[in-house]
Amino acid sequence: MANFKKIGILSSGGDAPGMNAAIRAATRRALSQGLEVVGILGGYAGLLNAADEADLDVVRQKYLRPLNSSSVSNIVTRGGTILYSSRCPEFATPAGMDKALRACERFNIDAVIAIGGDGTFRGATDLTNHGIPAIGIPATIDNDISATEQTIGFDTALNTALGLFDALRDTAESHARCIVTEVMGNKCGFLSLYLGLGTGAISIAIPEVEFDREYAIKKIREAREVYGKRGILAICSEGMPKMNGKNFGDDFKDEIIARTGIDTRFTNLGHTIRGGNPTLRDRLTASQMGVEAVNRILDNQSNLVMCVHENRITSFDINYALTLDHMYKNTLKDGELEKFTAQEIARMKAHCEARQAKVERLYRMAYDISM
Ligand code: F6P
């Protein structure tokens, strides 16, 4: 076992239901192994602010909160994050890293567990490279970390949105309307795709698959004219490009009205699906990842991101996971693959192909069975 005494836990980026379950699990596991735990408040910014704050009471209240077993009682049920969150561009600068390292040294933080999305993991890998071992836990409603089949918060956001879509269906049905709804997800269409299938939407627009507007309009027209459908749902992902200076969905709504005559509204679920009590699935995944992250630190491992792969909790090297993510999103930088072996690159390619094939299969299926 490595000679760690104190770990810091932080959450960063967009909050996601289940972050608290991960914080609880990591805290309790670490305490049970004789480690001290400190919660870093407000993401990486908490670390930076703590570096030079002279008043130790302020540090404890605002930036670094010692966590004991009771500090994490009754949080497994709660959405959001008790450690708060932020996006912290300063952390990515050399001056920001200097401050973070100063804070770790000053408050004896030996290792960090960072809960969040890809920006969070870039921070974790920077910390590791500067001598503070760090492990990432993927938590974002977007499910846009390609190395993992499931991010913490995705399942809850889906279930929260399902309730909202059921409500939209009631009003669409009452007024014989089509409702085009935008769903968060950043550049990733998983939320929209799963919701499209789960709500029986007639059309789905996501960045990963070319959107066939003609076909979508034809399906919507047929639903009304051939099958007499009153309430019609269409879903579009936040990541779709703007059209005619408007949100994609807002523009599509105008096209539906112009070309089918169906009374149509556009709405945006926005942040409503980012909060709320985590589902059992998110609590389970978060708890296992929290415990396993601590186990890895105790095992002297670092620069890893916890993942669900082939339905198992496992971990990948963060650099591998980030490059795999860039490969999937077609955002590889020049020379980025050079540090990987041919075998690793082949594994990444297979992983990306399987992910894309899954998206395309579900997308086709959603259209096939919608009416
Ligand atoms: O990453 C989670 C997410 O909710 C995305 O779906 C969305 O694009 C983004 O965060 C919104 O960020 P903010 O809450 O900072 O506006």
Side-chain angles (χ1 to χ4, degrees):
M1 197 194 337
N3 193 21
F4 294 117
K5 292 203 172 69
K6 192 194 280 186
I7 61 163
I9 303 178
L10 62 84
S11 47
S12 145
D15 61 305
M19 279 181 160
N20 282 329
I23 294 164
R24 168 182 177 268
T27 301
R28 295 251 170 97
R29 175 69 184 156
L31 292 170
S32 78
Q33 298 305 299
L35 295 174
E36 278 178 67
V37 183
V38 63
I40 300 166
L41 302 183
Y44 289 110
L47 212 46
L48 269 49
N49 291 329
D52 297 322
E53 174 57 59
D55 187 334
L56 289 183
D57 282 340
V58 171
V59 170
R60 280 171 73 94
Q61 274 161 28
K62 290 172 67 176
Y63 307 132
L64 299 177
R65 181 188 296 161
L67 297 178
N68 60 34
S69 212
S70 329
S71 331
V72 293
S73 280
N74 294 332
I75 66 167
V76 71
T77 58
R78 284 167 49 195
T81 160
I82 61 156
L83 298 180
Y84 315 130
S85 191
S86 69
R87 305 187 198 273
C88 179
E90 191 192 346
F91 186 74
T93 66
M97 181 50 67
D98 272 359
K99 277 195 202 173
L101 296 175
R102 263 208 321 278
C104 289
E105 196 180 333
R106 184 174 169 209
F107 298 102
N108 304 313
I109 298 173
D110 300 314
V112 168
I113 293 178
I115 306 169
D118 53 358
T120 309
F121 305 145
R122 271 191 295 275
T125 211
D126 285 351
L127 273 178
T128 306
N129 289 339
H130 287 85
I132 303 292
I135 305 268
I137 295 183
T140 157
I141 63 164
D142 300 339
N143 203 34
D144 64 344
I145 311 291
S146 307
T148 183
E149 283 150 26
Q150 188 204 339
T151 56
I152 296 167
F154 176 56
D155 189 59
T156 306
L158 287 173
N159 282 288
T160 306
L162 265 189
L164 297 170
F165 273 104
D166 290 348
L168 285 172
R169 162 121 15 231
D170 289 346
T171 179
E173 197 72 18
S174 303
H175 287 264
R177 278 179 178 156
C178 173
I179 301 184
V180 182
T181 307
E182 180 178 309
V183 177
M184 270 193 174
N186 202 356
K187 300 262 181 300
C188 171
F190 264 102
L191 281 166
S192 294
L193 177 60
Y194 279 34
L195 286 166
L197 259 170
T199 64
I202 290 212
S203 127
I204 304 169
I206 57 173
E208 292 88 338
V209 184
E210 198 179 336
F211 183 60
D212 186 339
R213 289 174 88 92
E214 286 309 312
Y215 183 58
I217 292 280
K218 177 170 165 278
K219 291 268 310 183
I220 291 169
R221 187 184 293 115
E222 263 178 23
R224 174 59 58 80
E225 291 174 6
V226 179
Y227 302 108
K229 200 170 178 84
R230 288 178 59 86
I232 297 173
L233 299 180
I235 296 186
C236 69
S237 166
E238 167 190 39
M240 291 299 286
K242 284 203 178 313
M243 306 287 288
N244 302 313
K246 286 183 279 193
N247 277 13
F248 183 92
D250 201 6
D251 181 70
F252 188 47
K253 175 250 318 171
D254 289 341
E255 187 171 355
I256 296 170
I257 296 172
R259 297 190 45 201
T260 68
I262 298 173
D263 187 15
T264 303
R265 296 287 188 274
F266 167 68
T267 191
N268 188 344
L269 299 189
H271 288 77
T272 51
I273 65 169
R274 215 162 83 179
N277 300 351
T279 56
L280 178 72
R281 184 165 183 203
D282 276 332
R283 295 181 202 192
L284 284 180
T285 307
S287 300
Q288 292 177 82
M289 284 185 172
V291 167
E292 285 300 323
V294 172
N295 288 347
R296 278 161 174 75
I297 286 179
L298 291 168
D299 212 19
N300 230 350
Q301 300 180 52
S302 64
N303 206 39
L304 298 175
V305 56
M306 303 308 304
C307 289
V308 180
H309 182 58
E310 294 170 349
N311 279 328
R312 272 184 328 111
I313 304 288
T314 178
S315 55
F316 288 113
D317 177 84
I318 293 185
N319 295 324
Y320 178 91
L322 287 175
T323 297
L324 165 64
D325 202 48
H326 296 161
M327 184 184 274
Y328 182 73
K329 293 171 182 161
N330 278 326
T331 55
L332 279 173
K333 293 178 214 93
D334 282 348
E336 189 175 345
L337 288 177
E338 279 165 17
K339 52 182 180 290
F340 297 99
T341 63
Q343 205 184 12
E344 285 170 327
I345 295 170
R347 212 175 327 131
M348 283 182 203
K349 281 192 177 141
H351 193 125
C352 292
E353 278 164 17
R355 193 169 167 95
Q356 180 64 17
K358 176 178 173 184
V359 168
E360 289 177 14
R361 181 173 56 78
L362 292 176
Y363 188 83
R364 274 196 309 277
M365 181 193 295
Y367 267 95
D368 281 351
I369 62 175
S370 71
M371 178 215 88

